[in-house]
Amino acid sequence: MFEDFTSEIMSYPGGEKITACMQCGTCTGSCPTSHAMQYTPRKLISLIRANQKDTVLKSLDIWKCASCYSCTTRCPRGIKFTDIMYILKNLAWKEQTKKENKDITGFYSAFQGLIEKRGRMNETELIMKYSFQTNPAKLLEFAPLGMKMIIKGRAAFIAPKVRNQDQLQKIMKLAQERGGE
Amino acid sequence: MIAYQYYPGCSLHASARDYDESVKGVLGCLEIKLEEVPDWNCCGATITPSLNQLQAQILPARNLALAAENKGDLIVPCNACYMSLKKVQHNMVKYKEIREGVIDIFSQTGLSLTGMPKVRHLLEMIMEDIGLAKVKEMVTKTLKDIKIVSYSGCQLVRPLGFDDPEDPQALDQLMEALGAKVLPFSQKSHCCGSSLITTQPELAFKMVDSILEEARKVGAEMVVVTCPMCQLNLDAYQGQINNKFNRTGELPIIYFTQLMGLAMGMSKSQLGIQRGIVSSNKALEKIG
Amino acid sequence: MSDHKIGVYVCHCGSNINGVVNCAKVTEEIGKLGEVVVAKDYKYMCSDPGQEMIKNDIREKGLDRVVVAACSPRMHEPTFRRALEGAGLNGYLLEMANIREHVSWVTKDKEEATKKALSLVKGAVKRVKLHEPIEEREVPVTNTTLVLGGGISGIQAALQVAEAGHKVYLIEQKQYIGGNMAKFDKTFPTLDCAACILTPKMVDVGQSPNIELYTSSEVIKVDGYVGNFTVTVREKPRYINHDKCTGCGDCASACIMKNRIPHEFDEGLSKRSAAYIPFPQAVPLKAVIDDENCLLLTRKKCTLACVKACGAKAINFNQHETIHEFKVGSIILATGFDLFDAKRSPQYGYGKYPNVINGLQFERMTNASGPTSGHITLADGTEPKSVAVIHCVGSRDENYNKYCSRVCCMSSVKFAHLVKDHCDAEVYEFYIDMRTFGKGYEEFYNRVQEEGVHFIRGKGAEVAQKDGRLVVKAEDTLLGQYREIPVDMVILNTALEPRVDAEKVAQTLGISRSGDGFFMESHIKLDPVTTTTDGIYLAGCCQSPKDIPDSVAQGSAAAAQSLAIIATGKVKISPISASIDSEQCAGCQICIGLCTYRAIKLNEETLRAEINEAVCKGCGTCAAGCPSGAIKVSHFNDDQLLAQIEGVLA
Ligand SMILES: Cc1cc2nc3c(=O)[nH]c(=O)nc-3n(C[C@H](O)[C@H](O)[C@H](O)COP(=O)(O)OP(=O)(O)OC[C@H]3O[C@@H](n4cnc5c(N)ncnc54)[C@H](O)[C@@H]3O)c2cc1C
Ligand code: SF4
Ligand code: SF4
Ligand code: SF4
Ligand code: SF4
């Protein structure tokens, strides 16, 4: 009944109502980053409905979503567009993005890597890992801010972690294996 | 003494140590006991959901599983953690595939999700359980009309939050109860772009700037926040952002619990106020 | 009981039923039942040949019971009853099995559908054997009409009934008639001046010998039934003697509260006194004293400047509310709409930024006798250089109202034209879809496009203030780009909503509301004027949002309904009603509270409940609730229902 990509999006939690979109643009008009998007939230929906999967998943616009939920709250048709952005990012992460953008890939893998391993986040370590994975010169950019944080006692030097690391790693692995959606 | 369970979230042990200090100080004064969820883990914020939906449920769900059934509501001071925890509860009810996935994975690791506690933001708990009347009673040193704008941020009120998603009221009311002068502010629930600050600073900087710029325009002396992510974004990056957009005037970014503590007679250092990158000293001068 | 001769008729309804249900098979199977003398299927049973077929069989085969398996009885039960009567059989010896709404329209499974259809028809056959002939009753009617609400639709209805020579009581909540239309300056699509077309009608109402107008009044109780309603009305005091007041307005100028109370008629854009004339063309053109703000009435202390100023000695602070009782044959509801409160969407800054206004405020601004004498001005008194109109605020939106409010696209276009006409500012219209469907509407849209208005396809998402100006944020969806458009004034074209007191009115009159909150019509397509209660009719926006042409048309239609009742002089009352066996009744009065139609009363002498059969709708609620089993409903008695169930399950 619907194009393949539309049906696929509809099959994920949060994507169900996508065909109710009336292309009003409230989502875009409410979005704090749409000014920088080639494909605005509304347009992403029309691309999905036109089955242009490649175009959508290759676009870095989906990574510009700040998860502010303005679009979701205001959509007159009850479409959870923030969730749709997450679905698109999940798919793109598997299929596309790693090829397209080093910064995004670097940051998201650094973050996810830390969590999967230790279960808690440490901003200092995250920035170091991210910089090494992308461009070590970045460390210099972060340095002044890092220094201030250290002076104010707002940086942790001992990496925090959960006690039951085995359990945490196992559930994360099982979730990964289940296919993710 | 009322008891609650407490999920601080990663920031409160590091970059938002000041928030943690003020939360504990204020709740101590109010004779409220907080018991930290044992061995909690990161909620995954906006990063994990971007990569893997099931992992994004698993992370907050593990915290819910570790929280006790009968030790009171689960109090969360961070907007992002609050939303993640509430959202997984919502998803588990709404989506069978998520519910089954989480239960199946948990059953293989000895975790169980019976009797999940109610998830509430710290501000929500203070407004509803303690109440403005009691807060007013506790004020020993009013904030003497210090001019503030209250910035609730996005994930406190959207999409599953407890206040009006477009024009939240709770923080305004609390600040007025402390004696602050709350200025009209249309950016109350606009997003600060925290999740983009590292990868796409040009986007996030613009978002922070429009918040700070309006705060300055309406004449605020400080911006009051409810979330460690917002605080970090508005405070630590403020210098860079002001440079970039050619703005003058520094605005201290203060946690609502810090102002509560001050009004209740606690000292600045007890509340971690000296830890702000932008100093609050000048703004707080008039209340001494 | 093998002495009945039953005919069963299975309708295909084109492919509506036959596309899913195997009608031939149902007919064949049912034909095998003992007392079924004849079973036939046919393409359209309700058509002339279909009905003739039934009639012929009754005459030729001596049928004494008929089952029609077709659509919902709501539509065609009367049709087939008439067919039976045409062949000399009592119409109530018919039973319908609904195999369309209950079967073919709700499944795609042909086999299951055929099975279910057969079961329903079997139930009908079992049941129809127990039907008894009953006679419809007729009662005489009162030839007066009550119209509730004096907007354009109520005025239209009242005038038409009155012109036909019958008495009308027109009850209006406000102190004046005219409703929302009285506030406009121009009306789309022709831009006639609202006052020019409305005022003569309002004056006619005031002068018609057949219309008794009650302003500041509301209905508090309705008793009775079609043809014979008793309506109780409460009239609030105006503290003005209407016979003496000349409408000069001297009291208003003298009043101590002068220019201190936000004026409702001007949508808060001007201030009035506590004694005031609602507006210059008001009917009745009499002063009114507002008891919520008058110093004497609220604080018992005032210099009585108004009394001193009134040369006609018309002011009387001793007036009290009056209760009136009217006997009427029918009631026309024309209570109109409320405007959506834009504060419910804080993102548009209504109530926060002074230059964000709603449509009615804009109407008042352009009205020559309005607060700005017809000038479009900003809060600081200057003229705007650019204006935005945002469509669909509170309409077409799951968060508020799902429906389209139907008039706002057109009124937005009207606003754009008026801005161009009055001050030549730039106008930006933010719309989702342009809905300009009426006669002359698309042409008007076209004309305004050519006047240089910017139409931006995208819903205005937010209004912000930047550097002292307003900014509308929206996506220009045809460009695919986010845009921020700075303007001086924003007009929010908000939804038309059911009146705040709609539920109270519905309960007082005993009628229903549909999911959107408006009063419910009996059939959305074929009977949009009648409510589910006989004798109560709907006109104008109280039924659903509509423009003036449609409101007027429906006002006339409602008048025609009332006149039809008066013309026949009597009304038929459905004979299906409940009755109480006074022997069995214990006088517990449970049924009295259960009856929505207030048909049951306690006989003070016998202390037993009694049903007024004319009021009773035969809904059966009381019968189900009676602990003594004393209540029976004709045509729906226990034996008949049990037989039907037995047949379905067989
Ligand atoms: C901003 C705006 C502009 C418009 N412009 C146009 C236009 O240019 N052209 C056009 O064709 N249409 C226009 N319309 C639509 C037009 O307003 C309606 O079609 C029309 O007013 C409907 O008339 P009505 O009598 O049904 O309701 P109303 O005008 O609402 O009148 C209802 C009356 O009933 C009274 N009432 C309410 N409740 C009670 C009660 N319980 N008891 C007694 N009395 C009661 C009210 O006081 C009121 O007098 C516009 C609408 C809006 C909002
Ligand atoms: S706001 Fe909703 S209906 Fe409108 S374009 Fe966006 S997703 Fe579609
Ligand atoms: S949730 Fe994402 S797409 Fe939606 S408005 Fe916020 S930033 Fe834009
Ligand atoms: S009450 Fe008297 S002063 Fe007022 S309008 Fe009527 S006649 Fe004039
Ligand atoms: S008429 Fe036009 S403006 Fe009004 S609700 Fe319908 S589409 Fe929106």
Side-chain angles (χ1 to χ4, degrees):
Chain A
M1 191 152 69
F2 301 113
E3 300 279 7
D4 289 350
F5 194 34
T6 308
S7 307
E8 182 178 356
I9 299 293
M10 285 170 81
S11 72
Y12 300 122
E16 307 85 356
K17 292 182 86 175
I18 191 166
T19 55
C21 173
M22 59 171 160
Q23 294 286 302
C24 68
T26 305
C27 45
T28 309
S30 308
C31 176
T33 57
S34 64
H35 62 88
M37 295 178 184
Q38 184 194 356
Y39 301 128
T40 58
R42 173 202 56 82
K43 188 141 191 201
L44 285 168
I45 294 198
S46 48
L47 286 167
I48 293 170
R49 298 195 49 189
N51 215 21
Q52 304 207 19
K53 187 169 178 174
D54 259 13
T55 314
V56 172
L57 296 189
K58 264 193 198 144
S59 167
L60 291 177
D61 289 336
I62 57 180
W63 297 95
K64 291 180 184 151
C65 169
S67 302
C68 73
Y69 290 91
S70 291
C71 50
T72 298
T73 324
R74 288 186 188 160
C75 173
R77 284 291 168 84
I79 291 164
K80 313 239 171 288
F81 190 72
T82 317
D83 290 352
I84 293 174
M85 278 297 210
Y86 278 132
I87 297 171
L88 295 176
K89 283 183 275 186
N90 277 212
L91 294 173
W93 186 250
K94 273 195 263 174
E95 299 180 19
Q96 290 285 357
T97 310
K98 288 179 196 152
K99 288 179 259 163
E100 307 285 340
N101 186 295
K102 227 168 89 181
D103 274 357
I104 291 170
T105 314
F107 182 76
Y108 282 77
S109 5
F111 187 102
Q112 189 73 351
L114 280 175
I115 303 269
E116 280 174 355
K117 195 158 123 217
R118 285 211 274 278
R120 285 195 196 170
M121 189 41 51
N122 175 6
E123 290 119 335
T124 322
E125 206 181 349
L126 173 63
I127 294 298
M128 308 228 319
K129 254 186 113 173
Y130 167 54
S131 304
F132 283 121
Q133 282 185 11
T134 50
N135 173 7
K138 279 212 172 88
L139 271 181
L140 287 177
E141 284 169 36
F142 289 112
L145 182 58
M147 284 310 293
K148 283 190 204 159
M149 296 294 283
I150 293 169
I151 294 168
K152 297 285 184 179
R154 289 171 66 177
F157 292 102
I158 313 158
K161 53 177 189 256
V162 297
R163 264 182 284 112
N164 198 342
Q165 285 194 40
D166 286 351
Q167 182 187 55
L168 187 110
Q169 287 168 3
K170 185 159 177 210
I171 56 175
M172 288 298 272
K173 198 160 147 270
L174 285 170
Q176 180 79 48
E177 282 162 7
R178 268 183 89 105
E181 267 69 60
Chain B
M1 194 165 202
I2 335 172
Y4 294 95
Q5 306 187 72
Y6 183 51
Y7 173 83
C10 305
S11 302
L12 274 84
H13 281 193
S15 60
R17 188 160 293 156
D18 39 354
Y19 195 10
D20 197 48
E21 287 160 351
S22 61
V23 170
K24 291 192 170 138
V26 166
L27 293 191
C29 266
L30 290 165
E31 302 203 335
I32 284 175
K33 209 179 115 213
L34 288 183
E35 192 176 320
E36 205 164 297
V37 173
D39 204 34
W40 56 267
N41 56 262
C42 172
C43 71
T46 56
I47 305 298
T48 309
S50 301
L51 308 184
N52 183 311
Q53 274 308 314
L54 193 54
Q55 289 188 331
Q57 316 299 320
I58 285 290
L59 285 174
R62 178 171 176 274
N63 296 316
L64 293 170
L66 294 174
E69 190 177 342
N70 52 7
K71 287 192 177 158
D73 293 349
L74 182 60
I75 303 303
V76 188
C78 166
N79 291 5
C81 304
Y82 169 68
M83 214 281 300
S84 305
L85 288 159
K86 275 194 94 148
K87 196 161 176 195
V88 67
Q89 283 188 332
H90 171 84
N91 286 347
M92 298 259 306
V93 173
K94 191 160 170 203
Y95 302 108
K96 191 162 157 262
E97 63 265 46
I98 290 184
R99 182 167 59 243
E100 285 172 355
V102 173
I103 290 174
D104 177 42
I105 289 171
F106 278 11
S107 67
Q108 300 179 46
T109 46
L111 285 162
S112 94
L113 264 172
T114 48
M116 287 192 271
K118 189 166 179 208
V119 175
R120 296 167 78 198
H121 192 276
L122 177 66
L123 176 65
E124 179 182 12
M125 183 273 276
I126 289 176
M127 291 299 285
E128 290 170 4
D129 297 5
I130 296 170
L132 290 178
K134 168 85 184 176
V135 170
K136 276 188 196 149
E137 245 171 60
M138 299 292 292
V139 174
T140 55
K141 207 165 116 187
T142 108
L143 297 183
K144 290 197 188 137
D145 284 342
I146 181 167
K147 286 188 234 147
I148 61 112
V149 289
S150 57
Y151 174 68
S152 302
C154 51
Q155 299 196 342
L156 174 70
V157 293
R158 283 191 300 268
L160 301 164
F162 75 100
D163 205 340
D164 188 305
E166 299 285 354
D167 187 14
Q169 299 298 319
L171 194 53
D172 283 1
Q173 290 167 3
L174 181 63
M175 289 302 117
E176 267 162 16
L178 302 178
K181 171 131 186 67
V182 181
L183 304 169
F185 190 46
S186 74
Q187 304 273 328
K188 276 179 181 179
S189 64
H190 282 204
C191 175
C192 71
S194 153
S195 61
L196 303 173
I197 197 94
T198 323
T199 52
Q200 301 175 76
E202 64 293 351
L203 294 178
F205 279 19
K206 190 165 182 270
M207 293 159 80
V208 173
D209 180 61
S210 50
I211 295 164
L212 295 175
E213 190 47 14
E214 185 178 320
R216 275 187 290 260
K217 285 233 167 97
V218 300
E221 292 161 318
M222 353 184 68
V223 177
V224 183
V225 296
T226 64
C227 168
M229 305 283 194
C230 306
Q231 203 283 342
L232 185 73
N233 233 20
L234 300 183
D235 179 32
Y237 290 91
Q238 195 175 123
Q240 286 180 51
I241 292 168
N242 285 356
N243 277 344
K244 179 170 173 192
F245 293 95
N246 259 331
R247 311 285 191 201
T248 44
E250 288 201 311
L251 268 176
I253 314 297
I254 197 155
Y255 291 108
F256 73 102
T257 41
Q258 292 177 317
L259 285 185
M260 281 182 81
L262 283 178
M264 285 156 57
M266 299 170 69
S267 74
K268 285 188 192 170
S269 60
Q270 269 176 300
L271 298 162
I273 291 182
Q274 75 289 354
R275 297 191 196 274
I277 305 282
V278 176
S279 163
S280 312
N281 286 342
K282 191 155 162 279
L284 292 174
E285 243 166 31
K286 73 170 141 181
I287 57 171
Chain C
M1 284 214 297
S2 55
D3 45 358
H4 282 302
K5 288 189 171 167
I6 306 173
V8 180
Y9 299 88
V10 182
C11 179
H12 296 186
C13 193
S15 61
N16 270 307
I17 297 174
N18 206 36
V20 184
V21 173
N22 184 341
C23 292
K25 175 135 186 258
V26 173
T27 312
E28 187 194 322
E29 289 295 318
I30 212 75
K32 294 179 187 161
L33 292 188
E35 288 147 296
V36 175
V37 197
V38 47
K40 291 180 176 165
D41 59 323
Y42 187 64
K43 212 167 175 81
Y44 292 107
M45 210 55 87
C46 60
S47 66
D48 245 7
Q51 295 188 51
E52 275 313 313
M53 182 163 80
I54 299 175
K55 285 190 206 163
N56 281 339
D57 287 350
I58 295 174
R59 291 193 200 101
E60 288 167 13
K61 303 203 163 71
L63 302 181
D64 61 357
R65 294 286 189 280
V66 173
V67 169
V68 178
C71 52
S72 157
R74 234 181 112 89
M75 190 69 219
H76 279 311
E77 196 167 52
T79 314
F80 294 114
R81 276 195 187 136
R82 271 196 307 274
L84 263 66
E85 277 157 13
L89 210 57
N90 181 284
Y92 287 81
L93 298 175
L94 165 82
E95 175 64 9
M96 285 188 75
N98 182 353
I99 59 169
R100 192 177 72 179
E101 282 85 345
H102 289 179
V103 183
S104 67
W105 278 1
V106 290
T107 182
K108 287 182 184 144
D109 186 329
K110 296 188 175 179
E111 207 156 301
E112 288 294 316
T114 306
K115 249 201 247 167
K116 180 173 175 187
L118 186 61
S119 302
L120 291 180
V121 182
K122 281 184 180 161
V125 169
K126 272 254 179 198
R127 177 191 172 138
V128 81
K129 292 190 227 171
L130 301 179
H131 279 195
E132 282 157 21
I134 26 186
E135 297 304 329
E136 294 194 334
R137 293 155 304 153
E138 281 182 345
V139 290
V141 301
T142 317
N143 61 359
T144 52
T145 303
L146 183 125
V147 177
L148 190 55
I152 183 61
S153 55
I155 290 176
Q156 178 75 10
L159 286 176
Q160 284 203 309
V161 175
E163 273 160 28
H166 298 286
K167 175 127 212 136
V168 177
Y169 302 101
L170 177 56
I171 312 299
E172 167 58 53
Q173 206 173 44
K174 295 253 164 67
Q175 306 84 359
Y176 54 88
I177 57 170
N180 282 293
M181 186 179 168
K183 298 178 180 175
F184 307 162
D185 186 49
K186 296 276 189 310
T187 53
F188 63 72
T190 44
L191 298 173
D192 336 48
C193 124
C196 311
I197 54 179
L198 179 63
T199 314
K201 283 190 183 274
M202 300 200 302
V203 171
D204 285 352
V205 167
Q207 292 176 349
S208 166
N210 281 331
I211 299 181
E212 264 182 46
L213 172 61
Y214 293 86
T215 51
S216 310
S217 298
E218 55 179 2
V219 166
I220 51 175
K221 196 164 143 229
V222 176
D223 278 326
Y225 52 92
V226 53
N228 298 279
F229 291 106
T230 307
V231 184
T232 315
V233 168
R234 173 167 48 216
E235 185 183 12
K236 283 196 353 186
R238 284 171 85 113
Y239 304 103
I240 300 290
N241 184 335
H242 267 206
D243 298 335
K244 291 188 184 161
C245 175
T246 59
C248 68
D250 289 349
C251 51
S253 319
C255 176
I256 315 259
M257 293 295 288
K258 189 171 176 192
N259 290 335
R260 284 163 68 179
I261 306 159
H263 198 343
E264 302 82 352
F265 192 77
D266 281 340
E267 300 292 325
L269 293 180
S270 70
K271 300 267 169 67
R272 58 165 171 83
S273 317
Y276 66 107
I277 311 272
F279 61 102
Q281 303 84 10
V283 170
L285 189 62
K286 305 285 173 188
V288 54
I289 293 176
D290 155 15
D291 56 7
E292 276 166 26
N293 290 293
C294 165
L295 294 177
L296 186 77
L297 293 169
T298 51
R299 304 197 200 148
K300 306 211 166 13
K301 240 171 118 176
C302 182
T303 60
L304 293 179
C306 58
V307 177
K308 289 175 199 148
C310 178
K313 305 242 167 304
I315 300 177
N316 172 8
F317 281 108
N318 293 323
Q319 275 186 359
H320 293 288
E321 67 172 38
T322 338
I323 302 289
H324 306 274
E325 212 180 82
F326 305 115
K327 299 236 177 273
V328 296
S330 60
I331 299 173
I332 295 172
L333 253 177
T335 50
F337 65 93
D338 274 338
L339 205 62
F340 172 83
D341 177 5
K343 285 200 185 111
R344 285 166 61 198
S345 301
Q347 62 266 41
Y348 295 119
Y350 183 78
K352 194 159 67 178
Y353 307 132
N355 293 319
V356 177
I357 59 174
N358 68 27
L360 281 179
Q361 288 175 321
F362 181 79
E363 294 285 357
R364 291 311 297 151
M365 238 183 225
T366 53
N367 193 300
S369 60
T372 56
S373 312
H375 297 292
I376 299 173
T377 53
L378 300 171
D380 65 6
T382 60
E383 253 183 24
K385 299 207 172 47
S386 60
V387 176
V389 186
I390 300 184
H391 291 217
C392 302
V393 177
S395 309
R396 301 186 70 191
D397 188 338
E398 279 197 357
N399 302 305
Y400 310 103
N401 299 301
K402 274 186 143 179
Y403 56 82
C404 164
S405 290
R406 285 182 94 228
V407 302
C408 16
C409 274
M410 275 305 284
S411 61
S412 297
V413 176
K414 175 178 76 174
F415 298 164
H417 168 83
L418 292 175
V419 172
K420 284 282 174 202
D421 195 44
H422 283 61
C423 54
D424 199 38
E426 293 300 324
V427 186
Y428 300 87
E429 294 253 354
F430 294 86
Y431 69 98
I432 309 176
D433 299 295
M434 281 308 280
R435 299 191 162 168
T436 54
F437 52 84
K439 185 164 182 171
Y441 287 13
E442 185 69 15
E443 294 89 325
F444 182 63
Y445 170 30
N446 189 164
R447 164 180 167 186
V448 174
Q449 277 181 303
E450 288 174 7
E451 291 174 355
V453 172
H454 310 276
F455 286 88
I456 297 179
R457 193 202 170 279
K459 178 160 176 180
E462 194 175 313
V463 177
Q465 200 165 28
K466 255 190 200 164
D467 307 322
R469 282 189 99 185
L470 297 168
V471 172
V472 180
K473 302 180 179 180
E475 178 174 15
D476 187 327
T477 63
L478 300 178
L479 273 183
Q481 269 170 22
Y482 170 81
R483 289 179 73 181
E484 290 189 356
I485 299 198
V487 293
D488 301 316
M489 172 187 274
V490 175
I491 307 169
L492 302 176
N493 216 340
T494 44
L496 277 62
E497 287 193 323
R499 290 272 180 200
V500 272
D501 63 354
E503 183 53 31
K504 205 177 98 196
V505 172
Q507 278 178 13
T508 311
L509 276 92
I511 59 169
S512 319
R513 298 203 291 157
S514 34
D516 55 14
F518 290 98
F519 296 134
M520 194 159 91
E521 59 292 311
S522 150
H523 190 286
I524 196 160
K525 280 164 280 185
L526 297 174
D527 203 359
V529 179
T530 310
T531 63
T532 40
T533 300
D534 294 338
I536 302 185
Y537 305 108
L538 298 172
C541 291
C542 67
Q543 182 242 346
S544 76
K546 51 176 73 72
D547 50 23
I548 295 167
D550 286 0
S551 298
V552 170
Q554 206 178 7
S556 293
Q561 297 268 26
S562 289
L563 290 172
I565 291 186
I566 295 171
T568 43
K570 52 196 182 227
V571 283
K572 278 203 173 148
I573 304 220
S574 161
I576 301 174
S577 69
S579 58
I580 299 183
D581 178 348
S582 59
E583 301 273 295
Q584 280 183 51
C585 171
C588 72
Q589 302 182 43
I590 286 178
C591 53
I592 298 182
L594 289 176
C595 178
T596 349
Y597 305 99
R598 288 186 281 268
I600 315 182
K601 291 221 160 53
L602 189 75
N603 182 324
E604 301 289 348
E605 279 169 24
T606 63
L607 293 179
R608 300 284 175 265
E610 275 175 7
I611 294 180
N612 180 342
E613 290 189 8
V615 184
C616 171
K617 296 258 176 295
C619 71
T621 311
C622 55
C626 175
S628 322
I631 309 184
K632 296 234 161 11
V633 184
S634 59
H635 208 58
F636 284 92
N637 64 38
D638 290 353
D639 293 343
Q640 290 166 342
L641 294 178
L642 288 173
Q644 182 172 21
I645 294 169
E646 217 175 88
V648 169
L649 298 179

